[in-house]
Amino acid sequence: MFDQIQWPVEFGYAGAWKNALDWASFLALAIVALCIALSGVYAGEYQNRTAAVALPTRRGKRALPAAKAVAALAFATAYWWLCSAVVVGINVAACGAGGWALPVQVVFGFDNPYPLTVGQAMLAVYGLGYLVTIDMATLTLLLSSKMRSTMPVSVIPMAAVFLGMFALFIPPLAKLGALTPMAGLNFTFSRMVSYAAGTAVIDLPTALAILYAVLLMTCTPLAMRVFARHQVA
């Protein structure tokens, strides 16, 4: 990566984008709030006993699970980009929009090996944050489809977000902790973490993208299937 960086590195001011990158990890708190909001998508049907009315019908068993999943993911999409727009917009309004095309070393230090501009790093971090958000939403849907109470559905994603930060201080768990939402968004390009499988070695952004893409493709159909197969009295 160092070989791809053009030296000498151009120096300049990128205060708004640096702040937005620093604050990206705190959007994990918004993800927690999203998971709480989605906890009742399926579990609420169990608690209110409306599943016993909807699921025995052909339309309810076939269309309702997918409709709920689509509505939840649409809400999660709008929610993430609204939160992102607020964070970025406030920083741009306060600090100005200059520095978008500067090398990312201006933000993360000149020992950073990523051959990116500040703007490219911004797009990558917030795009990755969207993938994490959608995946946490689908994980919440899966938990909601399996549990009759919304309380554990809310607590489990919350634990995944916050306990991951504590895991960073435990050496054997540090690499696992870096893959959790808050830690991952915080250290995407700023901490040199790598994962090896045999002779293949990938960096943290790639590992995050692969992990959350796989979870997204797994949790969504599972959530719909579990809800559709729920046995009603």
Side-chain angles (χ1 to χ4, degrees), residues 134-206:
I134 291 295
D135 178 70
M136 292 299 289
T138 59
L139 174 62
T140 303
L141 293 180
L142 178 58
L143 294 171
S144 183
S145 69
K146 296 180 72 68
M147 298 178 179
R148 294 178 179 272
S149 173
T150 58
M151 180 62 70
V153 179
S154 303
V155 170
I156 292 174
M158 189 184 306
V161 170
F162 293 116
L163 292 181
M165 292 299 292
F166 290 105
L168 296 174
F169 300 99
I170 306 173
L173 301 177
K175 285 193 174 184
L176 290 177
L179 294 172
T180 57
M182 182 175 283
L185 292 177
N186 191 31
F187 300 130
T188 304
F189 293 112
S190 61
R191 178 171 289 191
M192 300 300 101
V193 180
S194 62
Y195 299 84
T199 57
V201 179
I202 58 175
D203 60 356
L204 179 58
T206 305

Side-chain angles (χ1 to χ4, degrees), residues 112-128:
N112 188 287
Y114 285 95
L116 302 171
T117 65
V118 174
Q120 289 171 336
M122 271 283 303
L123 294 175
V125 169
Y126 280 83
L128 186 59

Side-chain angles (χ1 to χ4, degrees), residues 27-119:
L27 286 174
L29 302 178
I31 296 176
V32 170
L34 172 69
C35 293
I36 294 172
L38 297 179
S39 62
V41 170
Y42 293 125
E45 301 284 358
Y46 306 149
Q47 288 185 331
N48 298 328
R49 299 183 179 179
T50 51
V53 177
L55 287 178
T57 66
R58 180 176 298 179
R59 181 178 293 273
K61 189 174 288 289
R62 291 183 178 178
L64 186 60
K68 282 181 167 290
V70 170
L73 295 181
F75 174 74
T77 297
Y79 178 80
W80 167 259
W81 290 116
L82 176 62
C83 292
S84 300
V86 170
V87 171
V88 176
I90 290 175
N91 281 291
V92 170
C95 303
W100 176 268
L102 290 174
V104 77
Q105 284 71 29
V106 171
V107 173
F108 294 127
F110 291 96
D111 58 346
N112 188 287
Y114 285 95
L116 302 171
T117 65
V118 174

